[in-house]
Amino acid sequence: MARLAIDGGKAVRPHMLPYSHHCVDEADITAVVETLRSEWLTTGPMVRKYEEAFAQQVVATHTVAVNSGTAALHAALFAVDIRPGDEVITSPMTFAATANSILYLGARPVFADVQPDTLNVDPKAVAAAITPKTKAILAVDYTGQPADLQELGSLAKSAGIALIEDAAHALGATYRTRPVGGISDVTAFSTHPVKHITTGEGGMSATNDTKLAQRMRWFRNHGITSDHHQRAEEDSWFYEMIALGYNYRLPDINCALGLSQLRKLGAWLARRTEIAEQYSEAFKKMPAIQPLAQRSDRTSGWHLYVVQLDLDALRVDRAQVFAALRAENIGVNVHYIPVHLHPFYRQKLGTAPGLCPVAEGAYERILTLPLFPTMSEADVKDVVEAVLKVTSAFSI
Ligand SMILES: *Cc1c(COP(=O)(O)O)cnc(C)c1O
């Protein structure tokens, strides 16, 4: 058996393969430069163009571009009128920003446990967490696989509350043949460089509800009812501030990049799916490696490829597998430390281990493998080889 790099053996590859990487080409650069030479650097025509192309992509009536995925979540929760004292049910298996956006509005995140095979929030746990104070469900499409939107939508409907979707992982995903973006009351996307397409930093909220879209447009512009571009067109100085908003505007420079990136999404998504399928096929022969279950009524956006280690089949823990794979120059990662276990949340909400046992148990076993569209066949082969090398060395 080959000696592990962590024990002084030769690494599977000479350079670190990151878990995710953006792709910017000459067309993207040209689009940005053209905007830099134009009249409008922000609140200009590129914003609307990018929003319209994005709306078409996700099949939603309205899209509102903002300067981060976190801002998109904040705007979505503001739009459905989340207020201090309200409760919003969400998943612990996510990036902290999901739950943070609830706290920004003075509301309380309530963590519902996940399903053991997909690590998406469990509708039964959500149902059990609904109280008279609950005003919304904030579901996360973990790794890119849509959450149980039908079940969660029914729960929201019968409770008279909103369903907001954190689709930061799920641009291009579908649920029962419908694209993610026009299904929940509001869907929030991120265009951070590790995500499907990038605008440097950025986010997008999508909705089919005109009123909610209007509220999100105010919210990203200080709570003001018209923007600079509209006033220029109307030759008017008049505006009104009607709510406390923020400056969450996404500049035209970034929108030009997003519009150009969007043209490549289809090809990138196909490549992500292809790599994910290659991994899943290869891991069938490795009992210590369990990919997440994929439900047959939806397609994943494949932002992340997450596996669960069968720790009963290994004589080491996840930390040692992680270190050994990093030594082989495979940039594995862990998504995520359950949000309720972060010191801030323990202190703020009094959460503790035991609150979401399925998520906590999964956290001990998960590993994210590299997945991005510009990975070569050789890169994919290296990952499979390294995972096989490390897990067979550590197998019982
Ligand atoms: C990336 C991400 C966010 C935040 O997006 P930003 O653009 O970084 O603010 C929120 N939720 C999830 C699940 C994410 O992965």
Side-chain angles (χ1 to χ4, degrees):
M1 199 184 298
R3 193 150 155 228
L4 296 182
I6 201 168
D7 296 329
K10 186 169 177 283
V12 162
R13 50 184 285 126
H15 307 291
M16 187 63 80
L17 178 68
Y19 88 90
S20 181
H21 199 271
H22 63 268
C23 176
V24 169
D25 66 11
E26 284 307 315
D28 296 331
I29 293 166
T30 304
V32 169
V33 169
E34 275 174 10
T35 306
L36 280 169
R37 294 188 205 284
S38 80
E39 204 47 43
W40 294 92
L41 299 187
T42 191
T43 69
M46 266 318 197
V47 181
R48 205 26 95 78
K49 269 193 196 155
Y50 172 48
E51 286 175 341
E52 279 168 7
F54 203 105
Q56 236 171 21
Q57 175 68 46
V58 303
V59 194
T61 320
H62 309 280
T63 43
V64 180
V66 289
N67 53 26
S68 72
T70 308
L73 289 166
H74 192 184
L77 292 170
F78 170 83
V80 300
D81 206 21
I82 300 303
R83 291 165 181 248
D86 292 346
E87 293 177 359
V88 177
I89 300 170
T90 194
S91 172
M93 194 48 90
T94 186
F95 184 51
T98 314
N100 292 354
S101 69
I102 300 166
L103 288 174
Y104 291 163
L105 288 157
R108 184 183 178 86
V110 174
F111 297 101
D113 212 346
V114 297
Q115 302 165 53
D117 58 346
T118 63
L119 306 187
N120 263 330
V121 78
D122 186 341
K124 287 197 228 62
V126 172
I130 293 176
T131 74
K133 288 185 175 173
T134 309
K135 292 291 151 56
I137 299 165
L138 174 47
V140 180
D141 302 325
Y142 178 69
T143 69
Q145 175 168 220
D148 293 328
L149 300 176
Q150 173 79 52
E151 291 82 353
L152 296 171
S154 305
L155 282 173
K157 202 165 177 203
S158 59
I161 61 177
L163 175 61
I164 309 292
E165 192 178 345
D166 179 344
H169 297 182
L171 178 57
T174 63
Y175 180 85
R176 301 188 180 169
T177 73
R178 288 172 70 192
V180 159
I183 302 171
S184 302
D185 292 305
V186 185
T187 304
F189 297 94
S190 164
T191 49
H192 180 276
V194 299
K195 305 287 165 63
H196 297 80
I197 65 163
T198 192
T199 57
E201 296 278 358
M204 188 73 82
S205 307
T207 182
N208 292 327
D209 185 310
T210 308
K211 252 208 204 111
L212 297 183
Q214 186 63 265
R215 283 177 63 80
M216 293 192 286
R217 288 187 204 287
W218 298 335
F219 190 71
R220 75 166 165 195
N221 190 34
H222 310 281
I224 291 172
T225 53
S226 65
D227 68 23
H228 190 64
H229 192 241
Q230 283 170 314
R231 287 196 295 280
E233 278 186 339
E234 290 162 12
D235 266 335
S236 168
W237 51 266
F238 185 76
Y239 64 84
E240 282 181 308
M241 186 193 138
I242 55 163
L244 186 62
Y246 291 76
N247 178 353
Y248 278 165
R249 298 185 303 255
L250 186 65
D252 283 54
I253 303 160
N254 305 66
C255 290
L257 177 56
L259 186 62
S260 179
Q261 289 260 305
L262 211 44
R263 297 192 183 109
K264 289 159 277 201
L265 176 64
W268 286 345
L269 210 60
R271 178 67 184 140
R272 283 179 179 278
T273 307
E274 187 177 60
I275 296 168
E277 282 167 359
Q278 278 175 283
Y279 281 159
S280 297
E281 187 57 37
F283 300 150
K284 277 183 187 162
K285 286 166 257 158
M286 297 183 218
I289 299 291
Q290 299 159 345
L292 295 183
Q294 299 297 317
R295 302 277 185 254
S296 59
D297 62 350
R298 58 204 89 172
T299 61
S300 180
W302 289 115
H303 165 53
L304 300 176
Y305 193 93
V306 170
V307 297
Q308 301 197 67
L309 301 175
D310 179 359
L311 294 178
D312 294 333
L314 299 169
R315 54 185 171 76
V316 295
D317 63 10
R318 190 266 315 276
Q320 285 164 283
V321 176
F322 180 98
L325 282 166
R326 282 281 178 100
E328 303 293 341
N329 282 323
I330 305 300
V332 286
N333 219 312
V334 174
H335 296 92
Y336 293 91
I337 300 165
V339 176
H340 66 283
L341 299 183
H342 285 297
F344 172 80
Y345 275 91
R346 292 188 194 214
Q347 198 238 331
K348 176 93 184 162
L349 301 178
T351 52
L355 181 67
C356 296
V358 181
E360 291 160 27
Y363 167 60
E364 302 294 332
R365 296 191 301 269
I366 47 177
L367 266 185
T368 304
L369 303 181
L371 176 57
F372 54 95
T374 49
M375 274 176 74
S376 67
E377 284 306 314
D379 292 335
V380 177
K381 232 180 98 244
D382 287 345
V383 174
V384 171
E385 184 186 331
V387 169
L388 182 61
K389 180 182 175 187
V390 167
T391 54
S392 37
F394 288 149
S395 281
I396 287 169

